[in-house]
Amino acid sequence: MSKIRRNDKNELNTLNLSKLNGENQKSAESSLAKKSIWTKLKNPSNWWMIAVIAFLALGAMGAGLKYLDDDAQREIARRANNKGSLNDRQDQSFLNKVNPFLPTPTPTPTPQLSKEYIYAGSRLLAVEDKNATSAPPADLAIWRPDTANNTGTWWVMGGQNSQQVTVQWGNSTDKTVPGDYDGDGKTDFSVWRPSTGIWYIINSGGGGGQFNFGQTGDLPAQADFDGDGRTDAAVYRPSTGTWYILKSSDGQVITQQWGLASDNPAPADYDGDGKADIAVWRSSTTAFYSLNSSNGALQTPTLGQSGEPVSGDYDGDGKANFAVKSGNSWVILNSAYTQTQTITWQSSGDIPVQNDYDGDGKMDIAVWHSATGTWYIRNSSDNSTRTVQWGILGDFPVPAFYRR
């Protein structure tokens, strides 16, 4: 019995030794493998293989990043073509949702209005389709000559985003020529002296000056003829039917023979290119004669009634409409030149003061009753009537975008 137990014990020891030898062998083999790998890594003859593997790994990573970047650019272009937000996360793949090259969500920006107001002197010419903030309504204003003291004073009523202002500027015999001569979006106080042909300007941004341009007998016809956002000094010489324009963009003088002695200058942006067109109104033929600044084409629309020119953008399409005030009737031709609209407004002796008084980007029919100094404005936004007393007999109405 004891012999048998000794044999079992020997067998157990043999098994344990065998197991221990197996584990030692595996440990030895693992250690040998690690030493073998490290030996290979330290062997300079194997470095080329390591470099190839590293190059392939980096290439694969670079290709992946390049794909993500290209995919992001395609997604951005797709959203732009669809007029969507660059941060729109709807209707896109999982890859686009996790793509680090796509812009992160940001607050939706405030949409910009697509209107830029262009005017010549005191009157709105057109509304261009550009990204610009909305302009406030035109200010009611008058210029009061004082013959006793040989002075002239500007009285701006003020209103939305504009303060009431009184400025003495000019002599009693001067002609008012309001316009934005410094290009800051505000009308400058300015006069033209017929006796000397000198322009006197106070820039709204500060400073100003004077210069000679024109002669006795000329008619001031200032407007933005070169489209640089600044009013250009200009005169029409009835004696020769010649226009003289001093371009604010480069200081060059344009000379253009266009019109008869009996014509009235009526520059405005009739073709919608952002530049005022040379044009005259011939009451004897009830027709306008205009040269497009965009292509030099001649336009000769007939309105069928005599009167005084009151052109402007009455429909807000970016082009000035040919229009005339005949008595108390306003005859306005649409931009397609297919039909006219006639609107009766106040009395025949009233002075036309058309401008954008409700800030909707359209010219409003308006008159100033000189006997009482009362303004009668027909708002184009809702056809309501605005009545304001501002001025006295002997004043000259000069509404514009003073924005003081």
Side-chain angles (χ1 to χ4, degrees):
M1 294 293 295
S2 61
K3 184 179 181 178
I4 294 176
R5 282 194 292 269
R6 282 195 299 270
N7 289 341
D8 292 341
K9 184 175 181 180
N10 291 336
E11 291 176 0
L12 181 60
N13 291 335
T14 301
L15 290 174
N16 290 336
L17 180 61
S18 175
K19 182 177 180 180
L20 179 60
N21 290 337
E23 291 177 352
N24 291 336
Q25 183 179 0
K26 289 181 181 180
S27 176
E29 290 176 353
S30 176
S31 175
L32 182 62
K34 291 179 180 179
K35 291 181 179 180
S36 177
I37 294 174
W38 180 246
T39 301
K40 291 180 180 180
L41 289 176
K42 292 195 300 180
N43 189 349
S45 63
N46 294 327
W47 287 358
W48 67 269
M49 181 172 61
I50 297 173
V52 170
I53 295 174
F55 176 78
L56 292 176
L58 292 175
M61 181 181 297
L65 293 175
K66 180 65 167 59
Y67 176 80
L68 289 175
D69 182 60
D70 291 343
D71 184 71
Q73 297 302 320
R74 287 191 295 269
E75 178 64 14
I76 291 174
R78 181 191 69 79
R79 296 177 188 175
N81 292 333
N82 293 335
K83 299 183 183 301
S85 167
L86 290 179
N87 301 309
D88 184 8
R89 296 277 177 160
Q90 297 179 353
D91 300 328
Q92 58 178 307
S93 65
F94 173 77
L95 179 61
N96 287 334
K97 292 181 179 180
V98 300
N99 193 334
F101 292 101
L102 280 174
T104 56
T106 58
T108 302
T110 302
Q112 296 293 309
L113 299 178
S114 58
K115 298 294 182 184
E116 180 179 353
Y117 297 81
I118 298 176
Y119 57 94
S122 62
R123 297 177 180 177
L124 183 72
L125 286 181
V127 182
E128 292 300 305
D129 293 329
K130 296 180 180 178
N131 291 327
T133 55
S134 175
D139 296 308
L140 276 61
I142 56 92
W143 183 73
R144 182 169 300 164
D146 183 353
T147 56
N149 298 301
N150 193 28
T151 60
T153 304
W154 300 70
W155 297 74
V156 180
M157 180 178 177
Q160 180 179 338
N161 298 325
S162 186
Q163 298 179 355
Q164 182 172 321
V165 178
T166 302
V167 176
Q168 182 177 310
W169 188 248
N171 291 345
S172 59
T173 57
D174 291 343
K175 301 291 184 183
T176 58
V177 286
D180 182 11
Y181 295 93
D182 56 2
D184 66 350
K186 301 177 181 180
T187 300
D188 306 314
F189 299 114
S190 46
V191 295
W192 179 70
R193 192 156 296 166
S195 59
T196 61
I198 297 179
W199 298 64
Y200 298 89
I201 300 172
I202 300 179
N203 290 332
S204 57
Q210 63 184 63
F211 55 90
N212 187 283
F213 195 73
Q215 64 184 33
T216 301
D218 291 347
L219 299 176
Q222 74 279 7
D224 185 7
F225 292 95
D226 52 11
D228 67 345
R230 293 181 289 176
T231 301
D232 304 312
V235 295
Y236 173 67
R237 190 161 296 165
S239 60
T240 60
T242 305
W243 290 71
Y244 298 91
I245 301 170
L246 179 60
K247 295 169 61 180
S248 57
S249 57
D250 56 15
Q252 299 297 312
V253 177
I254 298 176
T255 303
Q256 176 70 53
Q257 202 288 324
W258 191 255
L260 302 178
S262 59
D263 292 344
N264 296 111
D269 185 13
Y270 297 105
D271 56 2
D273 67 345
K275 301 178 182 179
D277 305 319
I278 294 176
V280 295
W281 161 251
R282 191 166 299 165
S283 190
S284 61
T285 60
T286 68
F288 284 90
Y289 298 86
S290 174
L291 283 175
N292 285 347
S293 56
S294 58
N295 55 18
L298 168 65
Q299 298 187 77
T300 58
T302 300
L303 273 66
Q305 295 188 42
S306 61
E308 55 185 317
V310 289
S311 298
D313 188 2
Y314 290 90
D315 52 15
D317 66 348
K319 300 179 181 180
N321 303 103
F322 292 100
V324 63
K325 178 181 180 292
S326 179
N328 65 343
S329 296
W330 294 63
V331 183
I332 303 170
L333 179 66
N334 65 3
S335 297
Y337 308 150
T338 57
Q339 63 180 11
T340 59
Q341 179 185 17
T342 301
I343 299 176
T344 301
W345 190 249
Q346 300 303 315
S347 303
S348 60
D350 292 339
I351 299 174
V353 288
Q354 69 276 10
N355 216 312
D356 181 15
Y357 296 99
D358 53 7
D360 66 347
K362 300 179 182 180
M363 187 77 78
D364 301 319
I365 293 174
V367 295
W368 185 71
H369 189 64
S370 60
T372 61
T374 304
W375 301 66
Y376 297 94
I377 301 169
R378 183 179 184 268
N379 291 324
S380 58
S381 56
D382 56 9
N383 293 328
S384 63
T385 301
R386 178 186 174 191
T387 304
V388 180
Q389 200 286 322
W390 187 253
I392 60 176
L393 182 64
D395 292 345
F396 291 89
V398 284
F401 303 91
Y402 294 97
R403 307 176 188 174
R404 296 298 192 270

